[in-house]
Amino acid sequence: MTQTSLATQRFVAIAVTATLSLSATVKAAEQSDSQEGVYDDNTVVIIASRFKERNARLPTNITIISKDDIERSNATQVVQLLKRVAGVQVSSVSGKTTVSMRGISAEQAGNNVLIQVDGRRLNYTDIAAPDLESVLVSDIERIEIIQGAASTLYGDQAVAGVINIVTRSGNSKESNASLIAGNFGTVQGNVNLNHTLNQDWSFLLSANYLETDNYRDHNERDQSQLAVKFNYLTDTSDWLFEANTNREDLETPGALLDFDLSEPIQSRPEFANDYVDSQQDVLRVFGQETIDENWQYALDVNYLDSDIESINSFVGFPTTTVNTTDRTQWSIYPRIKGEWQAGSGSIDWINGIDYDHAEYDFSLLGRSNEQVVKSLYSQLFIPLSKRTDIELAARYARVEDDLVDLTAYPSGIRLKNSATAYDLGLSHQFSEDSKGYARYSNNYRFAKVDEQSYTAEGVVGLEPQTGDSFEVGYEQSFEHGYLKLSAYQLVLDDEIFFDPAATPPAGAFFPGANVNGGESERLGLIVDYQTELSEELTAGANYHFVDADIKRGESGTAGNRIPGVSEHTVNAWFDWQIDSISNWYIEANYRSDRYQEGDVANAQPKVGSHVVLNSAVNWQWEQVTLGIRVDNLLDKEYIDYAQFGGYYPANGRYGYVKLSYRF
């Protein structure tokens, strides 16, 4: 029997198990059509269609972290919010966070999970991870998460999912200020000032300052941010004009070796001079206009200018060389949506063009790149009946890189590639409060500039990574909770990753190279449940299982586990409304062991499993809120990220007090 047929049987077994476990629930759901639907009609969802709309028709697993969820958890960092989400694995390196989904390793997460703020990409054209630490939690209105491939709608890098962070606008009608003080020398203050200029125009000013020593030695961080937004809102128009700037100075403690871990807070001597100082400026325009009863259009124009100065040493190889990285990225995304009422429901047709232009310069390797990506896409929803929808979608994309690298391509080289993606989805509403769905989709990503310039000897340019995704799911709302179940298969061909066993390019100063691998497969199951145990107590739990294997690769790797991926993750939480002014929140996060990042041979020691407890208590008196949160309550020592024998310890117990005032 072939590996493919065995994989298909395993996926079918997972899907059938999920379906059988739901049969009794579905029957009960079909008997109750009067309760609230799976999606709250008061929630404006952007991520499912790239238009602001009330209903999410995309047949896939969509998670929304609400403003109330954020406030009750007393989180101050985006990573704290994402750790509780089913199917998400979070890793931190020297104070910077990567978020992976669908069995993608942390090393590859920044290339395969698309992260946006209000529709603006945080992902870069180089392999640096999206800067989640630049996002102010006090600014967040909600977080929308697509679990699964979304290449037809979002294009490059939306292989395993999309996270869209929606921030507050000027029309939120509320101002607030907060002050935070915690251990590790943490002090933070931020303010959001809203002002209504007239009936249509409103204004928001946000400012933030943070300084902290962090858990490890030589890891001090200073950050200051300022943002200005103007909103224009009428019955037919919704426009946003935004400018923001972010300055951050960060000392980086580097990795530890195994024998260093008895003192996890230390930084090895070779990293004594290492740092990353960055300045990032963003300009953005978003608009959505209703043309008539059938048509509306939307437009995104984004510009980013990022300048970085750093010293980056390696274990055993100290350096004092100062590197500079300069990025400019701008994009324009026009799209139009038609909507027509039929006897069985609404026909929605979305068409758009995505144009992305980026320039990148890295001084250390004499490396530069000008990249242009052009895409066309179309998405169509057709109601087959009053309870059944079908989704059809397609995208065509072309990328062109003008690449220079001092070692590999000193005279420059032009690389061109293209990719396509297709979706076929079906959703059925069993009742007003339950639905099921199935979805097949293609996905792709183009190689980053760092990857294109460090390929194996004799290889000129990497091919696009492509893949296929299949998902089935069921969602059930109860009077006081919900249940979500989904099973998926993600198969990637020509997967782009760094292989330490590959022949390095000429002039390389470390072994290995970026390659197009053979074939990899992830089979997964997600269970997500929330309920109100009483009027005062809400509880939730979720579980993610993923079987992530290399199916076809270099000699000796076929059948190995994909490194950096935990087979099991479990999250559970309780939120107790103690009385009218106070609540207590506690959560537990479990992650099973996994191979170190990059260890495709599965030869190095595994990173151990861990359980972490986090807790928060909030008191609210009219306009004033006092909150206390402690992360890693039991001061558990564990490894957050490991690669090639270099270990990055997770933070020890971290607590802070937050005082907020609304006006």
Side-chain angles (χ1 to χ4, degrees):
M1 186 176 291
T2 66
Q3 288 183 335
T4 301
S5 61
L6 285 170
T8 302
Q9 287 186 9
R10 289 202 303 273
F11 176 75
V12 171
I14 291 173
V16 169
T17 300
T19 303
L20 289 176
S21 68
L22 288 169
S23 59
T25 308
V26 173
K27 290 178 181 177
E30 291 174 338
Q31 295 172 0
S32 175
D33 287 349
S34 62
Q35 297 179 9
E36 183 179 351
V38 171
Y39 293 106
D40 181 357
D41 286 339
N42 292 321
T43 299
V44 177
V45 180
I46 300 172
I47 198 169
S49 68
R50 299 177 68 177
F51 279 84
K52 292 184 178 182
E53 57 185 10
R54 295 290 180 185
N55 299 310
R57 298 177 70 181
L58 195 67
T60 191
N61 187 337
I62 297 178
T63 300
I64 296 179
I65 302 173
S66 69
K67 184 178 180 181
D68 186 59
D69 294 332
I70 296 169
E71 292 178 348
R72 296 181 73 86
S73 68
N74 199 26
T76 58
Q77 297 290 328
V78 174
V79 59
Q80 295 170 304
L81 300 170
L82 294 177
K83 277 185 175 180
R84 199 182 87 179
V85 176
V88 170
Q89 296 184 2
V90 176
S91 303
S92 295
V93 180
S94 301
K96 290 297 182 181
T97 302
T98 59
V99 179
S100 59
M101 300 193 299
R102 298 288 189 187
I104 298 293
S105 68
E107 181 188 20
Q108 291 298 324
N111 308 323
N112 291 281
V113 177
L114 178 61
I115 300 180
Q116 302 181 314
V117 175
D118 297 321
R120 176 181 63 84
R121 287 172 173 257
L122 287 189
N123 300 62
Y124 300 113
T125 55
D126 59 296
I127 60 173
D131 188 5
L132 282 170
E133 283 68 33
S134 68
V135 182
L136 284 178
V137 169
S138 61
D139 251 359
I140 298 175
E141 186 68 27
R142 67 185 180 281
I143 301 176
E144 305 170 343
I145 303 165
I146 289 180
Q147 299 267 4
S151 292
T152 54
L153 192 59
Y154 284 95
D156 189 23
Q157 302 175 55
V159 172
V162 180
I163 298 173
N164 188 37
I165 301 168
V166 182
T167 63
R168 295 173 3 128
S169 60
N171 55 41
S172 61
K173 311 298 182 186
E174 182 184 279
S175 298
N176 63 64
S178 62
L179 180 64
I180 300 163
N183 59 330
F184 309 148
T186 302
V187 177
Q188 183 176 4
N190 52 64
V191 61
N192 293 282
L193 300 175
N194 287 277
H195 180 65
T196 300
L197 301 174
N198 57 37
Q199 181 178 349
D200 301 328
W201 285 92
S202 56
F203 166 83
L204 172 66
L205 174 67
S206 298
N208 175 70
Y209 177 76
L210 166 68
E211 61 179 43
T212 180
D213 296 333
N214 281 315
Y215 171 65
R216 294 183 59 193
D217 295 336
H218 189 62
N219 199 195
E220 294 181 8
R221 175 184 169 201
D222 294 314
Q223 185 177 22
S224 56
Q225 296 163 278
L226 183 66
V228 178
K229 298 179 182 179
F230 288 92
N231 281 91
Y232 176 75
L233 183 64
T234 68
D235 291 339
T236 59
S237 301
D238 188 349
W239 286 86
L240 169 69
F241 305 88
E242 177 185 1
N244 69 65
T245 183
N246 175 43
R247 172 63 192 257
E248 181 181 60
D249 299 333
L250 177 69
E251 294 180 344
T252 50
L256 298 177
L257 297 177
D258 183 65
F259 54 80
D260 298 318
L261 295 178
S262 58
E263 297 182 37
I265 68 171
Q266 69 174 305
S267 175
R268 291 177 59 85
E270 53 262 52
F271 300 109
N273 298 311
D274 283 22
Y275 69 91
V276 178
D277 292 347
S278 59
Q279 172 74 45
Q280 182 167 286
D281 300 304
V282 172
L283 297 173
R284 178 171 185 259
V285 176
F286 166 80
Q288 183 168 316
E289 286 277 350
T290 299
I291 302 171
D292 56 32
E293 62 180 6
N294 299 120
W295 292 97
Q296 56 182 314
Y297 72 84
L299 175 68
D300 272 297
V301 180
N302 303 293
Y303 173 80
L304 175 142
D305 180 54
S306 173
D307 299 317
I308 298 174
E309 182 181 280
S310 63
I311 295 178
N312 309 103
S313 301
F314 298 93
V315 173
F317 297 95
T319 183
T320 57
T321 301
V322 177
N323 311 314
T324 60
T325 303
D326 300 321
R327 306 184 188 100
T328 58
Q329 297 178 198
W330 69 272
S331 60
I332 179 167
Y333 305 143
R335 50 200 180 274
I336 189 165
K337 177 183 178 182
E339 183 176 353
W340 301 271
Q341 293 302 317
S344 53
S346 172
I347 300 173
D348 295 350
W349 188 27
I350 298 167
N351 294 279
I353 299 171
D354 290 349
Y355 179 87
D356 293 277
H357 182 280
E359 295 184 14
Y360 168 89
D361 289 285
F362 182 46
S363 64
L364 176 64
L365 301 175
R367 182 178 297 167
S368 65
N369 185 46
E370 182 177 2
Q371 182 185 82
V372 176
V373 181
K374 303 173 184 177
S375 305
L376 298 169
Y377 68 93
S378 184
Q379 182 186 51
L380 178 65
F381 291 98
I382 303 173
L384 300 182
S385 70
K386 289 185 178 181
R387 294 196 172 194
T388 304
D389 278 346
I390 187 170
E391 179 224 0
L392 303 170
R395 174 182 286 261
Y396 174 75
R398 289 188 60 84
V399 62
E400 183 174 312
D401 293 280
D402 284 329
L403 175 64
V404 175
D405 186 270
L406 187 62
T407 301
Y409 307 112
S411 300
I413 189 171
R414 177 168 292 186
L415 303 172
K416 296 180 180 181
N417 271 303
S418 63
T420 56
Y422 305 94
D423 275 8
L424 175 61
L426 185 72
S427 62
H428 178 72
Q429 201 83 21
F430 296 105
S431 68
E432 290 184 3
D433 52 301
S434 64
K435 79 169 188 177
Y437 59 84
R439 185 167 179 250
Y440 168 79
S441 57
N442 300 130
N443 59 76
Y444 69 89
R445 85 165 177 96
F446 296 125
K448 300 289 192 74
V449 57
D450 312 57
E451 296 166 324
Q452 292 284 38
S453 58
Y454 204 86
T455 55
E457 186 175 9
V459 176
V460 179
L462 298 173
E463 295 297 315
Q465 171 187 298
T466 60
D468 298 287
S469 174
F470 182 68
E471 177 181 8
V472 293
Y474 175 83
E475 299 180 359
Q476 168 75 52
S477 284
F478 307 105
E479 184 177 359
H480 300 295
Y482 64 80
L483 172 68
K484 295 183 180 182
L485 286 151
S486 62
Y488 65 86
Q489 180 188 44
L490 175 63
V491 178
L492 299 181
D493 291 316
D494 290 330
E495 184 171 1
I496 301 170
F497 64 92
F498 183 85
D499 184 354
T503 304
F509 53 90
F510 56 84
N514 296 299
V515 300
N516 281 121
E519 179 182 300
S520 64
E521 179 190 56
R522 286 97 172 150
L523 295 172
L525 175 68
I526 296 176
V527 182
D528 190 5
Y529 179 68
Q530 177 177 316
T531 185
E532 291 184 14
L533 300 175
S534 68
E535 291 185 0
E536 295 81 20
L537 182 62
T538 303
N542 58 64
Y543 168 67
H544 178 216
F545 163 81
V546 59
D547 179 19
D549 297 321
I550 300 170
K551 292 301 176 186
R552 187 179 74 253
E554 297 297 323
S555 176
T557 63
N560 287 357
R561 303 289 297 175
I562 295 174
V565 179
S566 295
E567 190 173 31
H568 307 279
T569 53
V570 182
N571 304 297
W573 56 272
F574 293 90
D575 190 342
W576 178 27
Q577 189 66 42
I578 301 171
D579 52 36
S580 61
I581 66 168
S582 58
N583 79 288
W584 175 48
Y585 172 84
I586 187 167
E587 69 178 18
N589 309 124
Y590 167 77
R591 183 175 181 182
S592 65
D593 60 7
R594 71 271 189 195
Y595 286 101
Q596 296 182 37
E597 301 288 339
D599 182 19
V600 293
N602 292 178
Q604 297 181 341
K606 283 187 173 182
V607 178
S609 62
H610 64 264
V611 178
V612 177
L613 294 178
N614 309 311
S615 186
V617 181
N618 298 295
W619 296 269
Q620 185 171 341
W621 301 275
E622 296 181 349
Q623 297 166 279
V624 178
T625 301
L626 175 65
I628 300 173
R629 176 162 173 143
V630 181
D631 284 351
N632 196 357
L633 192 64
L634 303 180
D635 202 21
K636 171 77 173 178
E637 290 187 2
Y638 65 98
I639 301 302
D640 220 357
Y641 183 92
Q643 185 176 35
F644 306 135
Y647 298 90
Y648 293 84
N651 287 346
R653 183 187 296 117
Y654 170 55
Y656 56 85
V657 178
K658 179 180 178 182
L659 181 65
S660 303
Y661 178 67
R662 300 179 182 180
F663 54 96

